[in-house]
């Protein structure tokens, strides 16, 4: 192969790598932004909600694979796993809102913010106590096929992760733009004082927001289990923090911004390691983000009014 | 007057009686500390440590105690969880030394905890034997710290030689965790050994990541592009399956070789067929073992339901070493500082100790001279003896 073409493939391969990584950041960081839009605080338990969602997905997938294999084709099992997991994980989101945030709605913002951290630790230790510290291996929901196209390698799993993440985000966009509930969420993020006066209760919209965020995170968890099939109770911590960085970078409360920043973060991480020695990856990647924030303190799509917030 | 005198004598003798009882009670228990990662990143390692220690204790209890200088002592294990964190390992050692008055400590297992924990043990003059830590710093300039395994600088050349002899390759790639002592140390030693053999620049890709990373795609894409013939990755069993699978997804076709950190019973469970046929250097191989080693493996399998990994075997040997040193010390005075010193001195005198992971004699640094084993993961997912390399 000519060096130039080889280099082109090399870049293309890394774009695919970055799209996969970025998909996870994007889908998870949306959860931060949605909650921020409605409650004006960051749900620091979100990384651990993702983790619990992954474990739920693991349980459902194991059961479905054991019961349904042979009866229905694999894509149906996959779809059933996603739907059931999403449903169950939504209740985790509702639980976090009702048990963790609602009692502290009038409390100082800082107290509400650290509630999330504590719920996160409670989730981690609960899983640890229930399942032990042993690593679990997420069962593959489809047979992996590796395609070699030109100079690049792409598996069907990778392609599926990228496509499903995009579909999820499009679905969420439709939900927020087209439905009554979505409109209520947008209204709440625009003015959280006036909207309850119009008869839209925060006690319905807030849990709904958490539920949607948790549902998305759990699907991300299933996809994560396909790409990186090793589960441990602390898997949500680092990913949660990085997705949080993406949420800030995208602009607080902006769902579009969170999604784009998630992909950007994936690209920065992958390409920094491509160009520079990988030892310097996080150092350079997060320095770049710091510089971006210095020039755009509100992130890419941060709204003007979000600066007079209480946190 | 007479009454008072009698009372005094009675009171005195009663006091004497009880104090001698108390003295005796304190003296007849030997406490051994176990500093193990029961939770955290590598809980399987902690489990193996605990199980091996419990088997050892069973033997002692069956014999009615540990005989030292013609006197039987009860043995008690103090098992502390270090959560696979350096700071917790230091805390656990401090607690066991200062509060529990342990005579010796076995553990911590990984270098990440053993290097800082060894500092504490040495400072308080308590014998510590780390069964599994291969980083030179663990025992360096620490007269009270020993180990049950060989060192990274030894393992690096062993793997480099093995790859060269077995495959005849000249270009290697390395992928390691830059934030963890053990992989980082071993990666460096391997690179030096490989370049000494095949010339400057023969390690064509030297890539790293940080602990908890799960995506290695950019590093592996680089490695695939570099034209390397073999990938060396001295990582732990929770990362190896991810690395191996992602490498294959990205078009890597060459062999992937690892080090003793691969040798956990959980590796194959997590990795599945992707890991079949791969090689790593280790302390012992369960499949095809003979003699005492086989007896240990059979007993462990019977009790706990799975084949013991090298951590369990090394922990077993370390406990035997500690036991022999305590017995060789001749006599325990009951004064913990003095006894700890006596145990240390006895440990340095041990020669040609016949362990289940090989014969051991300690160097002045407290490192044993022993052989390494190259293990192949066969198609049944068992760790099979492939070849051995002695210093």
């Amino acid at each position: 192969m000519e060096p130039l073409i080889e280099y082109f493939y090399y870049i293309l391969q890394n774009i695919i790598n970055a799209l996969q990584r970025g998909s996870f950041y994007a889908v998870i960081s949306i959860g931060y932004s949605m909650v921020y839009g409605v409650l004006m605080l960051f749900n620091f338990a979100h990384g651990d909600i993702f983790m619990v969602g992954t474990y739920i997905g693991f349980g459902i997938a194991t059961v479905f694979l054991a019961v349904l294999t042979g009866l229905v084709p694999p894509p149906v099992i996959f779809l059933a796993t996603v739907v059931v997991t999403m449903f169950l994980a939504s209740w985790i989101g509702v639980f976090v809102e009702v048990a963790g945030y609602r009692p502290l709605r009038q409390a100082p913002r800082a107290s509400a913010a650290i509630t999330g951290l504590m719920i996160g630790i409670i989730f981690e230790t609960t899983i640890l106590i229930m399942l032990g510290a042993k690593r679990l291996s997420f069962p593959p929901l489809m047979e992996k096929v590796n395609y070699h196209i030109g100079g690049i390698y792409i598996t069907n799993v990778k392609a599926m992760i990228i496509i499903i993440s995009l579909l999820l985000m499009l679905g969420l966009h439709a939900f927020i733009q087209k439905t009554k509930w979505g409109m209520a969420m947008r209204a709440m993020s625009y003015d959280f004082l006036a909207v309850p006066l119009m008869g839209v209760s925060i006690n319905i919209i807030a849990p709904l927001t958490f539920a949607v965020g948790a549902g998305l995170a759990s699907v991300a968890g299933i996809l994560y289990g396909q790409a990186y099939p090793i589960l441990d109770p602390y898997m949500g911590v680092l990913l949660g923090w990085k997705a949080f960085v993406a949420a800030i970078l995208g602009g607080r409360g902006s769902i579009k911004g969170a999604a784009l920043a998630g992909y950007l973060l994936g690209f920065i991480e992958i390409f920094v390691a491509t160009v520079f020695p990988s030892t310097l990856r996080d150092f350079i990647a997060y320095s770049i983000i710091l510089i971006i924030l210095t020039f755009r303190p509100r992130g890419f799509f941060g709204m003007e009014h979000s600066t007079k917030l209480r946190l | 007057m007479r009454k008072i005198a009698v009372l005094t004598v009675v009171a005195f003798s009663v006091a004497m009686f009880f104090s001698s009882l108390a003295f005796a009670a304190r003296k007849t228990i030997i406490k051994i500390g176990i500093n193990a990662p029961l939770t955290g990143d590598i809980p399987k390692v902690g489990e193996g440590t605990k199980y091996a220690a419990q088997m050892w204790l069973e033997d002692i209890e069956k014999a009615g105690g540990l005989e030292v200088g013609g006197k039987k002592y009860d043995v008690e294990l103090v098992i502390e969880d270090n959560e696979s964190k350096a700071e917790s390992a230091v805390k656990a050692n401090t607690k066991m030394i200062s509060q529990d008055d342990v005579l010796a400590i076995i553990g911590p297992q990984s270098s990440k905890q053993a290097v800082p924990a060894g500092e504490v043990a040495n400072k308080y003059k308590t014998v510590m034997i780390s069964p599994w830590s291969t980083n030179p710093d663990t025992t360096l300039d620490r007269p009270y710290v020993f180990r049950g395994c060989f060192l990274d600088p030894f393992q690096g050349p062993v793997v480099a030689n093995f790859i060269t002899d077995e495959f005849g390759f000249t270009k290697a790639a390395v992928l390691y965790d830059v934030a963890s002592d053990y992989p980082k140390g071993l990666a460096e030693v391997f690179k030096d050994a490989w370049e000494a053999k095949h010339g400057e620049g023969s390690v064509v890709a030297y890539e790293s990541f940080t602990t908890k990373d799960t995506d290695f795609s950019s590093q592996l894409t680089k490695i695939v592009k570099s034209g390397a013939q073999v990938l060396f990755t001295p990582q732990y069993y929770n990362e190896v399956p991810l690395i191996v699978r992602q490498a294959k997804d990205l078009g890597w076709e060459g062999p992937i070789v690892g080090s003793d950190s691969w040798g956990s019973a959980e590796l194959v469970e997590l990795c599945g067929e992707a890991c079949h046929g791969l090689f790593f250097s280790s302390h012992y191989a369960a499949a095809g073992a003979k003699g005492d080693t086989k007896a240990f493996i059979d007993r462990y399998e019977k009790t706990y339901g799975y084949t013991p990994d090298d951590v369990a075997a090394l922990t077993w040997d370390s406990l035997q070493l500690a036991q022999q040193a305590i017995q060789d010390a001749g006599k325990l005075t009951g004064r913990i500082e003095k006894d700890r010193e006596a145990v240390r001195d006895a440990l340095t005198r041990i020669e040609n100790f016949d362990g289940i992971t090989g014969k051991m004699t300690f160097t002045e640094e407290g490192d044993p001279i022993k052989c390494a084993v190259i293990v192949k993961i066969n198609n049944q997912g068992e760790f099979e003896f492939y070849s051995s390399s002695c210093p």
Side-chain angles (χ1 to χ4, degrees):
Chain A
M1 255 191 293
E2 282 179 49
L4 203 66
I5 296 177
E6 200 180 330
Y7 199 72
F8 170 73
Y9 282 134
Y10 179 57
I11 299 287
L12 208 60
Q13 178 73 61
N14 276 310
I15 289 176
I16 293 167
N17 297 344
L19 277 175
Q20 173 182 316
R21 195 66 188 163
S23 297
F24 292 113
Y25 290 144
V27 174
I28 296 167
S29 70
I30 284 174
Y32 283 101
S33 277
M34 282 173 61
V35 169
Y36 189 85
V38 173
L39 287 182
M40 299 201 175
L41 53 84
F42 282 106
N43 171 22
F44 287 121
H46 194 59
D48 292 297
I49 291 177
F50 158 77
M51 180 274 293
V52 174
T54 312
Y55 271 88
I56 293 175
F58 166 79
I60 300 293
T62 311
V63 171
F64 279 10
L65 280 173
V67 177
L68 297 176
T69 302
L71 296 176
V72 290
V76 178
I77 299 180
F78 180 77
L79 208 65
T81 307
V82 167
V83 172
V84 175
T85 305
M86 226 174 159
F87 176 76
L88 292 176
S90 310
W91 289 102
I92 299 288
V94 173
F95 169 78
V96 169
E97 201 281 325
V98 173
Y101 287 96
R102 190 169 296 180
L104 288 158
R105 194 140 307 146
Q106 302 308 324
R109 296 277 99 177
S111 308
I114 61 161
T115 308
L117 290 178
M118 286 180 274
I119 292 174
I121 293 170
I122 290 169
F123 279 166
E124 286 159 15
T125 39
T126 308
I127 296 280
L128 200 63
I129 293 162
M130 279 168 57
L131 299 172
K134 192 173 167 337
R135 294 291 189 289
L136 295 171
S137 178
F138 205 105
L141 287 161
M142 59 178 64
E143 197 160 334
K144 198 192 272 179
V145 186
N146 203 347
Y147 301 102
H148 186 194
I149 309 162
I152 62 165
Y153 289 86
I154 183 163
T155 61
N156 54 347
V157 174
K158 242 178 212 177
M160 179 198 74
I161 287 167
I162 296 167
I163 293 165
I164 291 184
S165 303
L166 283 172
L167 287 179
L168 276 180
M169 285 183 270
L170 288 176
L172 180 73
H173 184 74
F175 174 77
I176 287 179
Q177 296 298 329
K178 299 275 158 50
T179 66
K180 198 173 72 177
W181 298 109
M183 197 209 272
M185 280 158 81
R186 276 184 294 142
M188 196 68 84
S189 73
Y190 193 74
D191 194 330
F192 63 93
L193 290 176
V195 173
L197 299 176
M198 304 292 139
V200 180
S201 170
I202 184 91
N203 284 346
I204 291 179
I205 298 303
L208 177 71
T209 313
F210 273 83
V212 173
L216 283 179
S218 71
V219 181
I222 295 175
L223 298 176
Y224 192 87
Q226 299 302 301
Y228 316 107
I230 291 188
L231 274 60
D232 83 276
Y234 301 101
M235 62 189 280
V237 178
L238 187 65
L239 204 65
W241 281 114
K242 287 186 172 176
F244 174 61
V245 169
I248 295 284
L249 188 63
R252 298 194 278 186
S254 165
I255 290 168
K256 183 172 60 176
L260 286 176
Y263 283 110
L264 182 70
L265 192 59
F267 272 84
I268 293 178
E269 278 198 355
I270 296 285
F271 278 93
V272 165
T274 305
V275 178
F276 298 99
S278 41
T279 314
L280 299 174
R281 187 193 70 186
D282 284 355
F283 174 75
I284 295 177
Y286 290 91
S287 301
I288 292 173
I289 288 163
L290 191 64
I291 292 166
I292 297 177
L293 282 176
T294 311
F295 289 103
R296 286 198 70 94
R298 280 188 212 107
F300 297 132
F301 297 95
M303 284 167 284
E304 194 66 42
H305 73 256
S306 52
T307 43
K308 59 173 188 234
L309 291 175
R310 289 174 283 176
L311 180 67
Chain B
M1 193 62 203
R2 199 185 153 86
K3 233 177 183 174
I4 291 173
V6 171
L7 268 177
T8 313
V9 170
V10 170
F12 196 64
S13 39
V14 166
M16 278 289 280
F17 179 72
F18 278 111
S19 78
S20 74
L21 250 190
F23 198 52
R26 205 178 67 221
K27 247 174 81 178
T28 51
I29 288 189
I30 293 176
K31 288 185 181 174
I32 304 289
I34 307 283
N35 190 339
L38 298 174
T39 62
D41 279 340
I42 44 173
K44 198 76 186 168
V45 167
E47 189 184 273
T49 314
K50 196 174 85 182
Y51 285 168
Q54 282 167 352
M55 271 169 65
W56 175 77
L57 187 66
E58 235 171 65
D59 280 359
I60 299 285
E61 278 170 356
K62 219 178 275 168
L66 184 59
E67 195 174 320
V68 185
K71 194 163 175 240
K72 291 255 184 186
Y73 289 84
D74 281 338
V75 176
E76 193 184 305
L77 289 177
V78 182
I79 302 178
E80 287 287 322
D81 177 18
N82 63 34
E83 300 167 306
S84 187
K85 289 182 193 150
E87 59 276 16
S88 306
V90 168
K91 221 162 63 191
N93 260 14
T94 314
K95 178 189 166 272
M96 289 191 293
I97 293 168
S98 57
Q99 287 179 30
D100 298 326
D101 281 342
V102 295
L103 189 55
I105 293 171
I106 307 297
Q109 300 289 8
S110 4
S111 299
K112 193 169 70 174
Q113 292 102 43
V115 173
E119 179 75 49
V120 177
N122 193 53
K123 197 169 86 189
Y124 293 110
K125 296 196 163 48
T126 305
V127 170
M128 173 180 127
I129 308 176
S130 171
W132 202 47
S133 164
T134 48
N135 190 308
D137 289 342
T138 306
T139 55
L140 192 66
D141 295 329
R142 291 172 179 169
Y144 279 85
V145 183
F146 298 80
R147 75 177 91 217
C149 57
F150 47 68
L151 294 173
D152 293 343
F154 169 64
Q155 219 179 154
V158 164
V159 174
N161 287 343
F162 164 73
I163 295 172
T164 312
D165 297 344
E166 180 72 21
F167 304 108
F169 291 157
T170 52
K171 285 189 283 183
V174 180
L175 177 64
Y176 68 99
D177 179 357
V178 73
S180 184
D181 270 348
Y182 165 85
K184 187 170 175 284
L186 193 45
E188 281 163 8
V189 175
F190 174 82
K191 185 168 184 264
D192 291 345
W194 187 266
E195 295 198 324
K197 264 181 119 61
H198 301 285
E200 198 73 19
S202 54
V203 172
V204 288
Y206 191 64
E207 297 296 320
S208 68
F209 60 93
T210 42
T211 318
K212 297 262 176 210
D213 275 357
T214 49
D215 189 290
F216 314 106
S217 57
S218 57
Q219 292 93 327
L220 287 167
T221 305
K222 243 184 185 174
I223 287 169
V224 170
K225 183 173 171 272
S226 71
Q229 294 159 305
V230 59
L231 169 61
F232 175 64
T233 182
Q235 288 309 129
Y236 293 100
Y237 69 84
N238 55 330
E239 292 145 336
V240 174
L242 294 177
I243 294 171
V244 170
R245 285 187 196 180
Q246 287 178 30
K248 292 195 170 165
D249 287 353
L250 290 165
W252 174 263
E253 277 156 8
I256 300 175
V257 180
S259 55
D260 65 303
S261 54
W262 282 33
S264 162
E266 228 167 77
L267 177 78
V268 178
E269 214 175 291
L270 291 173
C271 191
E273 280 179 25
C275 281
H276 290 178
L278 303 185
F279 296 95
F280 64 90
S281 63
S282 189
H283 307 274
Y284 100 130
K290 290 191 271 301
D292 280 351
T293 317
K294 188 166 179 348
F296 168 77
I297 294 167
D298 289 348
R299 189 172 150 202
Y300 191 100
E301 270 176 349
K302 216 177 120 201
T303 320
Y304 303 112
Y306 65 96
T307 311
D309 40 31
D310 57 355
V311 175
L314 290 168
T315 305
W316 175 266
D317 271 356
S318 301
L319 280 159
Q320 302 290 348
L321 277 167
Q323 178 184 342
Q324 192 177 337
I326 292 169
Q327 285 171 327
D328 287 356
K331 181 167 146 275
L332 294 181
T333 59
R335 278 166 54 210
I336 197 78
E337 284 86 11
K338 213 168 167 189
D339 289 342
R340 283 170 177 165
E341 202 185 323
V343 172
R344 187 209 91 89
D345 292 343
L347 203 50
T348 54
R349 288 195 303 267
I350 291 179
E351 259 178 46
N352 279 328
F353 172 82
D354 206 1
I356 58 172
T357 60
K359 280 203 188 320
M360 290 183 235
T361 303
F362 284 112
T363 64
E364 272 187 22
E365 277 303 340
D367 304 325
I369 303 165
K370 62 194 285 194
C371 304
V373 167
I374 299 289
V375 174
K376 183 180 185 180
I377 306 175
N378 66 18
N379 288 340
Q380 284 79 49
E382 292 163 342
F383 294 159
E384 200 178 78
F385 177 86
Y386 193 78
S387 62
S388 107
S389 171
C390 296

